[in-house]
Amino acid sequence: MEPDWGDVRARLMAMPMRKLRPIGRRWFAGMLGGSTAKGKYVGTMVDQMRYWWRSCADRGGRERVSNVLKTIAEAEREG
């Protein structure tokens, strides 16, 4: 089942940038460009995960999204 992208966006927006940046570096590499505004940073992450989920399912996109969501959950648990 496809993730609730609104929920993913809300969870990411609730996190401080010091937790978002390592996730961005690990999973999104150069895709985030020079985004400095949190909203743009989170928006790019969510848009990319949606793309992977919908357009790259046959190439491991859904597995990658699942791994990113696990990383987000781990960062949330760390407080």
Side-chain angles (χ1 to χ4, degrees):
M1 184 164 89
E2 186 167 353
D4 177 347
W5 301 113
D7 178 64
V8 173
R9 181 182 303 273
R11 289 171 58 199
L12 290 171
M13 287 299 292
M15 296 174 75
M17 283 301 289
R18 67 180 170 77
K19 289 192 175 246
L20 288 176
R21 283 194 181 96
I23 296 170
R25 280 192 299 272
R26 178 176 177 186
W27 293 107
F28 300 92
M31 295 173 209
L32 298 170
S35 298
T36 55
K38 184 177 183 178
K40 182 161 177 54
Y41 197 87
V42 167
T44 302
M45 291 171 79
V46 172
D47 289 346
Q48 187 61 46
M49 285 189 283
R50 186 182 304 122
Y51 171 76
W52 289 334
W53 185 272
R54 295 179 179 171
S55 301
C56 301
D58 59 336
R59 296 184 307 264
R62 291 185 179 182
E63 182 179 346
R64 184 174 182 128
V65 170
S66 294
N67 289 332
V68 174
L69 294 175
K70 286 177 191 170
T71 303
I72 292 167
E74 289 169 6
E76 288 172 325
R77 281 193 298 273
E78 291 173 1

